[in-house]
């Protein structure tokens, strides 16, 4: 026997679901109530039937409760009890306790409250609606048959009503109060957990910030001393090793920045800081970091830069560089052989703005379709089993996505599993200079085998610099990096020592660390500014700190620092900052300002610029080849399947040959390209354009649309649209889409134009011989016999994208031609007269001229094109068929 304590304890347990707690409470109340009722029934001497009924009800309720709790089937138990209450107990109680004159009506309310609070999902609404119907039925029956409910004396009626009302009110109020108490308790718990999470986030941010500071300090020493090795060594082997150290240090710094930035993004503290930057220099820096890793894996690294790219842009250079490095690193990690290609293009806009399009393509393992939705999730790695030996934190692409969003840009992914991936990043930026980048030569900027030597940017032997830092290694590194400028450097190991020196000596610039024991850099700055008798109250003070980030930079600006440098710092950065603040009379400029270079031998190429938007279609669009070539429309061929094999539509077989093959009694049919074929086709087109819009034949006529849509799921930059037409009617839509794209319209505007165009095109064909329709499975043998016997020629039209018989013409060939042409051109005033396609199969040139002659009697088109239907179309309509396709 289950103990009462096992029911009561979980009611107070906050870890138990609200449904289960209420279920336990109500069934406990029900059991107690039924027990009391049984006692009263015995005490009042009610009939044995009532007594037995109460006992039976008690046992049923107890049994359902026990099994529901024991087997964790609370919802099932709630539905059973709710059903028993609504369909059995309450109607029985109503009819045996005086009906409308007893207390049964109040108990209906209790049943509804139980269902509303305990039962979940659809079952709740079913029980409530049917329960309401049952209650109405009880009232209606008692109205029609007043003697049906058990009679109550007046005294019994009043007693029953008062007791029922009291008990139902008490139970209902108790349930609601209990539920409110639970909600208040859960709300307090949620608030407490929220505070704990916020505190945890703050602690996490403090940890990341501290970690960044602590790691940057030794990296500063590594990179700084490594730079001195590169400056001074004469050994190519040592120089090569030093360059590898430098690249590894920068990669480590990138990883630290990723972790810190993830924390900032999550807390909403990430800021975008646009600055004017040199595009060529930024690309050199990026390539400098990636090329070594690509070389280590034996990968080729190619760069394709738009010659018309502005030389200077306004954007957040640091974040743009971070985005590209992360994506390129990702490409290198997941590519075992082949090449990585970085392409940069510029789409100029109005008011000096431009869309810069960065494309990173690799020949790696690709991404599965089902993994695409998780690609930009933090700490999530796709295809884990296959990639378990590839290093990485899982943060890179998540940060990339969020940074791109913060910069108002867009990132998309196109990938075919096992064949490679292309990331396309579009970022809006402002053009600073009208000068174009031209033929950028990364190799000239950074050579591998002919390393450029360090050249100091200035000398200032009379300038005095004070460097303040509590880390001896940092003091040494800064002093060594400035050694060739001949400036006089002094060091201070603390804020107090700094104040002693500023009281005794005048300096031209002070480089100040921030976080130091006893007195930090900010406090020291304020003390210098108000130092009584101090000699450096107006001296420029530049903060040299491991605290990176936009919010820290603004902090230092507010505190009054004159400049900002982050560790690790290079000699070039130090010299550039000092040039801003040193008095001009102390500085002698060097002939060249270029600092030492770092190895790079990427292959830089200037291939033909990618189109922004490419229109593609299927071979069944029945357009002249010169038209598709001129409009740069890519065509995906259908297949013609015969008893002798498969042939590419229009390339390996022609319309006349297919029709002759069918006339000989053999079978042939057309097939749309498969999903894999479309994937390969889309991947190829994306090497020529940033975005692709593919237009297919009506999805209700061919599987081409379905297959193309499935294939497009591997590509963010491919849009598949059902034209709702076939043959040259579909071609009309394709030509208009290509015209929109050539005019430079956006992808969204082109898609909207296509959707409007679909309703303006008219597509119809008149069939000369239904034998071909029979072989294609379009008509039955009986219909074919009737049509051939009575010279019936069906007119096929597209209605709601579905091919149907729009009319039938009876008569000889030329008679039905005239009838068909007259029916098509009934509303001459609404027709666009610029172009008409007469798309045909198996007609001679003389017959075509005859058709055109009849057409021109109705309407004089500016241009009429005879277009032979593709084999895939001709198979389904046969010899002698032609269609008039035009735009309204």
């Amino acid at each position: 026997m289950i103990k009462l304590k096992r029911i009561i304890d979980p009611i107070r347990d906050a870890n138990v679901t609200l449904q289960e707690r209420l279920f336990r409470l109500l069934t406990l109340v029900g059991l107690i109530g039924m027990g009391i009722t049984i006692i009263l029934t015995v005490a009042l001497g009610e009939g044995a039937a009532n007594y037995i009924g109460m006992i039976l009800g008690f046992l049923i309720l107890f049994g359902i409760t026990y099994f529901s709790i024991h087997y964790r089937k609370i919802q099932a138990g709630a539905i059973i009890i709710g059903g028993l209450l609504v369909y059995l107990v309450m109607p029985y109680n109503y009819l045996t306790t005086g009906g409308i004159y007893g207390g049964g009506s109040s108990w209906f309310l209790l049943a509804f409250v139980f269902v509303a609070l305990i039962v979940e999902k659809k079952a709740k609404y079913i029980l409530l609606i049917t329960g309401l119907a049952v209650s109405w039925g009880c009232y209606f029956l008692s109205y029609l048959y007043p003697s049906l409910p058990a009679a109550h004396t007046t005294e019994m009626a009043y007693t029953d009503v008062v007791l029922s009302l009291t008990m139902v009110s008490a139970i209902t109020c108790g349930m609601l109060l209990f539920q409110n108490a639970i909600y208040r308790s859960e709300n307090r718990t949620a608030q407490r957990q929220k505070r704990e999470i916020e505190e945890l986030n703050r602690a996490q941010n403090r940890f990341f910030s501290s970690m960044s500071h602590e790691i940057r300090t030794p990296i500063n020493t590594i990179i700084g001393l490594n730079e001195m090795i590169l400056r001074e060594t004469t050994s190519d082997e040592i120089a090569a090793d030093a360059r590898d150290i430098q690249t590894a240090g920068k990669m480590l710094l990138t990883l630290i920045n990723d972790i810190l930035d993830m924390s900032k993004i999550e807390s909403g503290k990430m800021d975008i800081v646009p600055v004017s930057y040199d595009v060529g220099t930024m690309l050199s820096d990026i390539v400098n970091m990636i090329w070594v890793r690509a070389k280590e894996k034996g990968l080729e690294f190619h760069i394709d830069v738009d010659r018309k790219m502005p030389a200077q842009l306004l954007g957040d250079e640091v974040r743009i560089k971070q985005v590209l490095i992360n994506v390129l690193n990702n490409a290198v990690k997941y590519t075992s052989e082949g090449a990585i290609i970085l392409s940069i293009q510029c789409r100029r806009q109005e008011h000096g703005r431009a869309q810069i399009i960065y494309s990173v393509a690799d020949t790696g393992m690709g991404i599965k379709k089902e993994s695409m939705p998780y690609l930009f999730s933090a700490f999530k790695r796709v295809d884990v089993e296959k990639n378990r030996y590839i290093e990485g934190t899982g943060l890179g692409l998540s940060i990339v996505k969020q940074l791109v969003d913060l910069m108002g840009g867009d990132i998309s992914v196109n990938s075919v599993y096992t064949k490679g991936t292309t990331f396309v990043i579009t970022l809006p930026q402002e053009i600073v200079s009208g000068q174009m980048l031209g033929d950028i030569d990364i190799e000239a900027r950074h050579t591998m085998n002919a390393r450029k030597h360090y050249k100091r940017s200035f000398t200032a032997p009379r300038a005095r610099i004070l460097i303040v830092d509590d880390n001896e290694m940092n003091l040494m590194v800064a002093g060594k990096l400035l050694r060739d400028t001949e400036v006089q450097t002094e060091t201070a190991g603390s804020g107090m020592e700094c104040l002693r020196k500023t009281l005794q000596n005048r300096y031209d610039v002070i480089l100040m660390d921030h976080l130091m024991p006893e007195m930090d850099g900010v406090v020291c700055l304020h003390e210098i500014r108000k130092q009584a008798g101090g000699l450096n109250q107006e001296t420029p003070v530049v903060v040299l700190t491991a605290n990176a980030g936009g919010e820290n930079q603004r902090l230092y600006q507010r505190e009054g620092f004159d400049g900002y440098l982050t560790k690790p710092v290079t000699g070039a950065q130090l010299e550039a900052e000092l040039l801003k603040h040193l008095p001009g009379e102390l500085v002698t400029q060097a002939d060249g300002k270029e600092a030492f270079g770092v190895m790079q031998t990427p292959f830089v190429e200037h291939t033909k610029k990618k189109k922004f938007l490419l229109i593609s279609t299927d071979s069944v669009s029945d357009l002249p080849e010169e038209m598709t070539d001129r409009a740069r429309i890519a065509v995906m061929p259908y297949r013609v399947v015969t008893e002798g094999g498969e042939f590419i539509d229009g390339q390996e077989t022609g319309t006349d040959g297919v029709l002759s093959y069918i006339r000989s009694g053999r079978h042939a049919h057309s097939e749309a390209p498969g999903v894999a074929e479309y994937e390969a086709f889309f991947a190829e087109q994306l090497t020529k354009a940033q975005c692709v819009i593919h237009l297919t034949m009506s999805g209700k006529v061919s599987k081409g649309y379905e297959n193309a849509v499935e294939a497009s799921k591997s590509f963010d930059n491919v849009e598949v649209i059902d034209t709702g037409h076939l043959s040259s009617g579909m071609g009309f839509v394709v030509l208009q889409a290509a015209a929109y794209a050539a005019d430079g319209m956006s992808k969204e505007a082109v898609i909207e134009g296509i959707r409007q165009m679909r309703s303006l095109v008219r597509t119809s064909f008149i069939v000369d011989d239904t034998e071909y329709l029979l072989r294609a499975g379009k008509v039955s043998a009986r219909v074919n016999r009737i049509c051939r016997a009575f010279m019936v020629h069906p007119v096929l039209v597209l209605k709601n994208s579905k091919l149907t018989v729009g009319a039938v013409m009876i008569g000889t060939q030329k008679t039905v031609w005239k009838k068909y042409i007259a029916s098509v051109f009934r509303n001459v005033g609404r027709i666009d007269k610029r172009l008409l396609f007469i798309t045909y199969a198996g007609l001679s040139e003389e017959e075509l001229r005859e058709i055109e002659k009849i057409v021109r009697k109705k309407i004089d088109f500016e241009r009429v094109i005879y277009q032979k239907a593709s084999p895939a179309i001709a198979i389904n309509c046969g010899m002698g068929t032609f269609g008039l396709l035009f735009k309204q």
Side-chain angles (χ1 to χ4, degrees):
M1 178 64 74
I2 187 171
K3 295 181 179 179
L4 192 60
K5 190 174 186 299
R6 291 186 61 186
I7 297 179
I8 296 174
D9 285 347
I11 295 175
R12 297 176 295 188
D13 187 353
N15 294 320
V16 177
T17 64
L18 176 62
Q19 182 192 31
E20 182 174 343
R21 293 165 76 182
L22 284 171
F23 178 78
R24 289 170 179 266
L25 175 69
L26 293 183
T27 51
L28 178 63
V29 171
L31 288 169
I32 294 171
M34 291 186 73
I36 293 171
T37 306
I38 292 171
I39 294 171
L40 290 174
T41 302
V42 174
L44 295 173
E46 296 288 342
N50 284 341
Y51 176 73
I52 294 171
M54 290 293 180
I55 294 291
L56 184 61
F58 181 89
L59 292 175
I60 292 173
L61 180 59
F62 181 85
I64 295 172
T65 303
Y66 173 78
F67 285 103
S68 299
I69 294 172
H70 183 75
Y71 293 105
R72 312 297 296 177
K73 300 290 185 181
I74 302 299
Q75 172 72 352
I79 292 173
I80 294 171
I81 292 175
L84 289 173
L85 287 173
V86 168
Y87 303 133
L88 182 62
V89 175
M90 297 310 165
Y92 176 80
N93 183 60
Y94 175 83
L95 295 174
T96 57
T97 57
I100 193 70
Y101 301 107
S105 300
S106 302
W107 292 101
F108 274 121
L109 175 63
L110 182 62
F112 293 146
V113 171
F114 176 89
V115 171
L117 289 178
I118 307 301
V119 182
E120 295 180 347
K121 301 179 181 178
K122 289 183 181 179
K124 174 190 292 188
Y125 303 102
I126 293 172
L127 285 173
L128 288 174
I129 293 170
T130 55
L132 190 61
V134 169
S135 63
W136 288 350
C138 289
Y139 287 123
F140 186 65
L141 284 173
S142 62
Y143 174 76
L144 291 178
Y145 307 100
S147 61
L148 183 61
H152 255 2
T153 64
T154 303
E155 182 180 349
M156 289 175 63
Y158 276 106
T159 302
D160 192 11
V161 169
V162 170
L163 287 176
S164 297
L165 181 61
T166 302
M167 291 180 68
V168 169
S169 299
I171 294 172
T172 303
C173 290
M175 286 191 295
L176 295 175
L177 289 172
F178 178 73
Q179 187 181 40
N180 287 337
I182 291 174
Y183 282 139
R184 285 194 298 271
S185 174
E186 291 184 348
N187 185 57
R188 287 192 297 271
T189 302
Q191 292 297 324
R192 186 182 68 255
Q193 290 174 343
K194 179 184 177 183
R195 289 191 297 271
E196 290 173 354
I197 291 170
E198 289 174 348
E199 179 57 35
L200 182 62
N201 285 334
R202 285 192 291 269
Q204 173 185 280
N205 292 339
R206 287 193 298 270
F207 168 75
F208 283 140
S209 179
S210 174
M211 182 188 69
S212 172
H213 179 275
E214 294 303 320
I215 295 178
R216 280 174 180 273
T217 298
I219 290 179
N220 181 60
T221 302
I222 294 169
I223 292 180
L225 293 179
N226 188 70
E227 182 173 332
M228 296 307 300
I229 294 172
L230 280 168
R231 286 187 191 183
E232 298 172 357
T233 186
T234 57
S235 167
D236 288 339
E237 182 179 357
I238 293 174
D241 292 341
R243 286 192 295 267
D244 288 343
I245 292 171
Q246 186 178 59
T247 300
K250 289 183 177 180
M251 293 303 299
L252 177 59
L253 193 60
T254 299
L255 180 59
I256 295 166
N257 287 337
D258 282 348
I259 296 172
L260 186 61
D261 288 345
M262 194 67 194
S263 172
K264 290 180 183 177
I265 291 169
E266 289 179 349
S267 61
K269 294 180 180 179
M270 174 62 74
D271 293 318
I272 300 302
V273 184
V275 296
S276 177
Y277 69 94
D278 183 270
V279 175
T281 301
M282 184 194 76
L283 292 178
S284 297
D285 292 343
I286 292 172
V287 172
N288 191 42
M289 297 178 65
I290 300 301
W291 187 83
V292 174
R293 299 198 70 197
K295 183 190 172 202
E296 287 172 352
K297 295 188 68 174
L299 303 174
E300 297 180 28
F301 185 26
H302 303 286
I303 307 170
D304 177 9
V305 185
D306 184 356
R307 288 187 178 91
K308 296 183 180 180
M309 173 75 67
Q312 287 190 316
L313 293 169
L314 182 69
D316 193 330
E317 180 187 10
V318 173
R319 299 307 171 194
I320 294 170
K321 194 184 297 186
Q322 185 177 359
V323 164
L324 293 178
I325 288 172
N326 265 312
V327 176
L328 285 165
N329 270 332
N330 209 62
V332 172
K333 280 195 295 186
Y334 291 96
T335 303
S336 56
E337 60 181 2
I340 312 295
I341 302 173
L342 170 63
S343 302
I344 304 101
Q345 293 188 359
C346 174
R347 295 188 69 213
R348 293 177 182 263
Q349 299 176 323
E350 297 178 347
H351 310 300
R353 298 190 64 81
Q355 292 281 349
I356 309 301
I357 302 166
Y358 308 91
S359 173
V360 177
D362 64 60
T363 56
M365 61 184 65
I367 304 166
K368 292 180 178 178
K369 291 178 189 175
E370 56 268 27
S371 298
M372 286 288 200
Y374 310 108
L375 197 58
F376 297 109
S377 300
F379 306 106
K380 177 79 174 181
R381 304 187 73 189
V382 298
D383 205 359
V384 175
E385 180 63 25
K386 191 169 183 178
N387 302 329
R388 63 188 183 277
Y389 300 117
I390 296 176
E391 76 278 4
T393 61
L395 281 176
L397 290 181
S398 175
I399 291 172
V400 164
K401 170 65 174 166
Q402 296 185 71
L403 287 177
V404 168
D405 289 343
L406 283 172
M407 290 187 281
D410 177 70
I411 182 169
S412 55
V413 187
N414 306 300
S415 182
V416 178
Y417 190 55
T418 73
K419 295 184 179 179
T421 303
T422 301
F423 285 84
V424 180
I425 301 157
T426 305
L427 295 175
Q429 298 179 59
E430 293 184 20
I431 300 172
V432 175
S433 169
Q435 181 182 359
M436 295 182 188
L437 195 60
D439 293 325
I440 181 174
D441 191 348
I442 302 290
E443 186 173 357
R445 291 170 179 254
H446 299 286
T447 60
M448 178 179 178
N449 298 318
R451 176 173 51 90
K452 295 181 182 178
H453 291 284
Y454 162 77
K455 292 181 181 179
R456 61 191 177 192
S457 58
F458 70 91
T459 56
R462 291 182 295 137
R464 299 187 68 182
I465 309 296
L466 177 63
I467 307 170
V468 186
D469 200 305
D470 63 310
N471 186 295
E472 289 291 337
M473 296 298 290
N474 286 341
L475 293 173
M476 180 189 65
V477 167
K480 283 180 176 290
L481 290 176
L482 291 174
R483 184 172 60 195
D484 288 349
T485 64
E486 300 179 15
V487 297
Q488 302 174 39
T489 60
E490 295 183 26
T491 61
S494 67
M496 294 304 296
E497 185 180 353
C498 171
L499 291 177
R500 286 195 295 272
K501 292 199 172 189
T502 56
L503 193 61
Q504 300 168 359
N505 305 307
R506 184 185 301 276
Y507 299 101
D508 297 297
V509 176
I510 298 173
L511 299 177
M512 180 80 70
D513 186 24
H514 178 193
L515 298 178
M516 296 182 291
E518 298 180 7
M519 179 184 292
D520 68 29
V522 174
V523 175
C524 187
L525 169 68
H526 295 321
E527 292 298 324
I528 291 172
R529 294 296 186 229
K530 64 183 181 181
Q531 189 177 37
L535 303 176
N536 296 274
Q537 293 178 354
E538 303 298 327
T539 299
V541 180
V542 176
V543 64
L544 178 55
T545 178
N547 289 338
E551 71 280 4
N552 288 320
Q553 186 172 358
R554 287 191 296 275
L555 165 67
Y556 298 132
Q557 288 174 343
R558 288 195 304 270
E559 295 297 341
F561 283 97
D562 299 284
Y564 171 74
L565 286 171
T566 59
K567 300 171 187 174
V569 68
T570 65
Q573 291 171 333
L574 271 176
E575 291 180 17
E577 190 65 31
L578 288 179
L579 274 174
K580 295 179 186 177
H581 304 292
L582 285 174
E585 65 272 13
L586 300 181
V587 176
T588 301
Q589 294 273 357
D591 292 337
K593 295 183 180 179
E594 189 172 9
F596 76 98
V598 192
M599 62 171 183
Q600 280 315 318
T601 54
F603 176 58
V604 183
E605 54 189 21
H606 293 275
T607 57
K608 193 172 184 180
K609 182 179 177 180
K610 274 189 180 183
K611 294 177 66 176
F612 169 67
L613 181 60
L614 182 143
I615 303 299
S616 64
T617 187
D618 297 322
S619 61
V620 290
S621 59
D622 287 342
L623 287 172
E625 188 174 349
E626 61 270 18
M627 275 189 163
T628 57
D629 290 345
R630 187 168 60 250
R632 295 187 180 181
I633 298 167
V635 178
M636 178 66 183
Y638 267 51
R639 294 191 303 275
V640 175
V641 182
T642 69
E643 295 172 8
E646 294 186 4
F647 303 91
I648 298 175
D649 182 27
Q651 296 179 21
E652 297 177 344
T653 183
T655 302
D656 295 337
V658 169
L659 292 176
S660 298
Y661 181 86
I662 295 175
R663 289 184 70 183
S664 67
R666 288 174 288 183
H667 178 74
H669 68 276
S670 63
E671 278 189 4
V675 174
E677 292 169 289
Y678 272 120
E679 285 179 347
F681 176 75
F682 292 151
E684 180 184 356
Q685 303 318 310
L686 284 169
T687 64
K688 306 171 187 175
Q690 302 294 343
C691 304
V692 173
I693 295 179
H694 185 77
L695 303 173
T696 71
M697 186 160 61
S698 170
K700 297 180 180 178
V701 177
S702 165
K703 287 193 68 176
Y705 173 72
E706 179 184 336
N707 292 346
V709 167
E710 182 62 28
S712 71
K713 292 177 182 178
S714 295
F715 309 92
D716 284 347
N717 289 17
V718 174
E719 190 80 27
V720 177
I721 299 177
D722 182 348
T723 64
H725 292 273
L726 54 78
S727 189
S728 300
M730 170 184 168
F732 255 108
V733 181
V734 172
L735 288 175
Q736 188 62 63
Y740 290 150
D743 289 341
M745 293 173 62
S746 67
K747 184 172 78 171
E748 293 73 19
V750 172
I751 292 171
E752 181 59 32
I754 291 170
R755 287 174 178 153
Q756 294 177 5
M757 181 70 179
R758 288 187 299 194
S759 61
L760 300 177
V761 176
R762 293 292 173 264
T763 299
S764 65
F765 289 86
I766 184 163
V767 178
D768 185 62
D769 188 351
T770 54
E771 182 69 23
Y772 291 93
L773 294 179
L774 171 65
R775 292 176 182 174
K778 305 297 183 184
V779 298
S780 65
R782 182 179 179 184
V783 169
N784 177 51
R785 287 196 299 272
I786 294 172
C787 289
R788 301 190 78 180
F790 294 97
M791 293 189 294
V792 174
H793 303 267
V795 176
L796 303 180
V797 298
L798 273 168
K799 286 186 178 179
N800 299 321
S801 301
K802 189 174 182 180
L803 191 65
T804 61
V805 176
V808 291
M809 306 291 178
I810 301 175
T812 62
Q813 186 183 59
K814 290 191 177 180
T815 300
V816 298
W817 285 359
K818 292 178 181 179
K819 290 180 180 179
Y820 167 60
I821 293 169
S823 67
V824 169
F825 296 131
R826 283 195 299 267
N827 299 317
V828 176
R830 298 175 57 187
I831 294 173
D832 186 336
K833 300 178 183 178
R834 289 176 293 179
L835 178 63
L836 170 71
F837 278 101
I838 300 177
T839 303
Y840 67 94
L843 291 174
S844 66
E845 190 173 339
E846 183 180 347
E847 289 172 320
L848 290 170
R849 284 199 295 269
E850 178 66 23
I851 292 169
E852 182 182 356
K853 183 178 177 181
I854 300 171
V855 167
R856 290 195 180 277
K857 288 180 180 179
K858 290 288 183 180
I859 183 169
D860 190 16
F861 283 92
E862 295 176 15
R863 186 181 182 191
V864 175
I865 295 177
Y866 303 149
Q867 175 60 38
K868 184 179 289 187
S870 63
I873 292 290
I875 284 174
N876 296 295
C877 56
M879 298 280 290
T881 296
F882 76 91
L884 302 175
L885 304 104
F886 55 91
K887 186 178 76 169
Q888 285 190 339

